Amino acid sequence: MEDVDLPELNDGEILLKGMYYSVDPYMRGRMNDAKSYVPPFQIDQPIQGGVVGKVAESKSGKYQTGDVVVGMLPWQKDFIATEKEARKIDTSMAPASYYLGVLGITGLTAYFGLMDIGKPKAGETVVVSGAAGAVGIAVGQIAKIQGCHVVGIAGSDEKTKLLTTEFGFDDAINYKATPDMNKAIAAACPKGVDVYFDNVGGDISDAVIKNINFHARIPLCGQISLYNSTETPMGPRLQPMLLTRSVLMQGFIITNYQARFPEGIQKLAQWIKEDKLKFTETIEHGFENLPKALLGLFNGNNTGKMIVEA
Ligand code: NDP
């Protein structure tokens, strides 16, 4: 933690007070000095991520003191942003922190990954891993809205119970208490798996893919079980199964869909309003707890979106 003096505001800039900070699994990848879809974090510079802040002072015609904004902003308690780096949000429609979750990147990831790549049809079986997390919990409910049989995979009995009792999942499997995942998935999906929304990779995905149907679709969203690997992990060779069953597996990065974000937000907001899409958050209090909250994602400490309230 470092204290720094902020410079005077220039024209077109705003002074923001951080309210809510998003911690996300992809941040782990930005700590590797490797070529990726975003550059690595810079040493001696604040981490950047999704932040909701309140305008404390404005030298921009677009913002007034008191406006609430969201953007990819620094992990600082107070900071200066240009008017282009922030976007005003409507806190009468949903709580401000939702713009870091269901009405932000994780909701959009669930929506476009499932609808555009998964293409679920009524009556099909959809399996989602990381099911009690921010993306997964939305994926399962959107699949239910499409009329699918939905099975979630998560890491505790509390989480699996919540998925079936509160979030409308048809079934849920606690992978930490299930010795034979292949068998458990076969039992939960008697007609096989038509869409597998993969948030975690590794052994869990190997077991799901063993149950994959002909012409199934696999949106490859995240591989959190591998983000801390220092060597390339080896697993079963699954390509022959994908080939012979004509399965589509497609990776995606949500920013691919940037031009269609307004459509996604409109759909998600409509489902929230109609009470078809529910959301939950795990909130850590205190700016100084940002690192703890980020590490907690890798231990399954969160249900729904992990947020830090300053
Ligand atoms: P989550 O809210 O799902 O938090 C992470 C969860 O992952 C934890 O709660 C934990 O739940 C689970 N987890 C952690 N370690 C493991 C492990 N070794 N094996 C299995 N599960 C594990 O995060 P998000 O919803 O924000 O992200 C979900 C996935 O989607 C991530 O992989 C992320 O990188 C990816 N993502 C991809 C995007 C894209 O553009 N492609 C955009 C946003 C997210 P549990 O208790 O169940 O283990």
Side-chain angles (χ1 to χ4, degrees):
M1 295 271 263
E2 228 176 86
D3 289 317
V4 294
D5 291 322
L6 294 177
E8 291 288 307
L9 278 190
N10 290 319
D11 284 341
E13 289 182 338
I14 46 179
L15 174 66
L16 292 166
K17 216 168 218 340
M19 295 166 67
Y20 298 102
Y21 297 78
S22 180
V23 292
D24 297 273
Y26 78 88
M27 290 176 156
R28 175 62 188 82
R30 293 194 72 184
M31 292 172 191
N32 295 341
D33 190 9
K35 191 174 167 192
S36 184
Y37 59 94
V38 271
F41 290 131
Q42 296 299 303
I43 303 287
D44 287 334
Q45 291 296 317
I47 283 181
Q48 290 246 328
V51 178
V52 165
K54 193 174 258 184
V55 178
E57 203 185 320
S58 174
K59 278 206 171 176
S60 153
K62 279 174 73 182
Y63 300 98
Q64 291 178 344
T65 304
D67 283 348
V68 180
V69 302
V70 68
M72 286 299 282
L73 297 163
W75 280 11
Q76 283 180 232
K77 286 185 177 176
D78 303 286
F79 48 91
I80 292 171
T82 63
E83 54 188 18
K84 277 196 187 140
E85 285 169 329
R87 176 170 61 86
K88 209 149 115 176
I89 58 178
D90 178 2
T91 52
S92 66
M93 189 164 84
S97 58
Y98 275 37
Y99 290 86
L100 299 175
V102 71
L103 289 176
I105 292 301
T106 59
L108 291 165
T109 300
Y111 175 75
F112 286 112
L114 182 68
M115 300 304 287
D116 220 61
I117 302 171
K119 295 190 166 50
K121 295 186 216 53
E124 287 190 329
T125 297
V126 175
V127 173
V128 53
S129 53
V135 173
I137 219 159
V139 167
Q141 294 176 86
I142 298 170
K144 279 311 301 175
I145 295 169
Q146 309 309 311
C148 298
H149 177 76
V150 177
V151 177
I153 301 172
S156 73
D157 287 342
E158 292 77 45
K159 288 185 181 183
T160 53
K161 188 166 172 218
L162 198 75
L163 292 176
T164 52
T165 54
E166 295 287 319
F167 292 95
F169 285 56
D170 296 290
D171 208 343
I173 302 166
N174 173 0
Y175 71 92
K176 288 188 181 159
T178 304
D180 189 338
M181 280 296 288
N182 182 13
K183 222 162 129 184
I185 293 158
C189 308
K191 293 198 249 168
V193 178
D194 299 297
V195 179
Y196 171 45
F197 194 103
D198 187 6
N199 279 317
V200 306
D203 295 345
I204 293 174
S205 298
D206 294 346
V208 178
I209 292 170
K210 283 188 186 136
N211 291 282
I212 209 83
N213 279 342
F214 282 81
H215 299 288
R217 287 80 63 200
I218 306 178
L220 208 47
C221 174
Q223 297 281 289
I224 192 168
S225 75
L226 310 180
Y227 293 171
N228 284 316
S229 304
T230 48
E231 285 166 14
T232 306
M234 298 301 289
R237 308 284 188 193
L238 295 166
Q239 287 90 332
M241 195 174 279
L242 304 183
L243 185 155
T244 54
R245 297 187 191 177
S246 303
V247 174
L248 171 78
M249 181 188 263
Q250 189 184 321
F252 72 101
I253 295 300
I254 188 55
T255 43
N256 299 352
Y257 290 95
Q258 196 119 32
R260 289 176 58 196
F261 280 4
E263 166 204 328
I265 289 173
Q266 191 264 327
K267 264 283 179 214
L268 292 162
Q270 181 195 326
W271 285 328
I272 292 173
K273 207 168 146 201
E274 292 167 359
D275 218 16
K276 290 181 180 161
L277 179 58
K278 291 196 278 184
F279 197 58
T280 185
E281 300 171 314
T282 299
I283 302 209
E284 277 280 352
H285 296 276
F287 178 83
E288 64 285 1
N289 285 322
L290 270 162
K292 182 179 154 212
L294 174 61
L295 292 173
L297 293 170
F298 295 85
N299 295 324
N301 292 357
N302 61 307
T303 301
K305 182 79 187 92
M306 182 78 107
I307 300 276
V308 175
E309 184 170 14

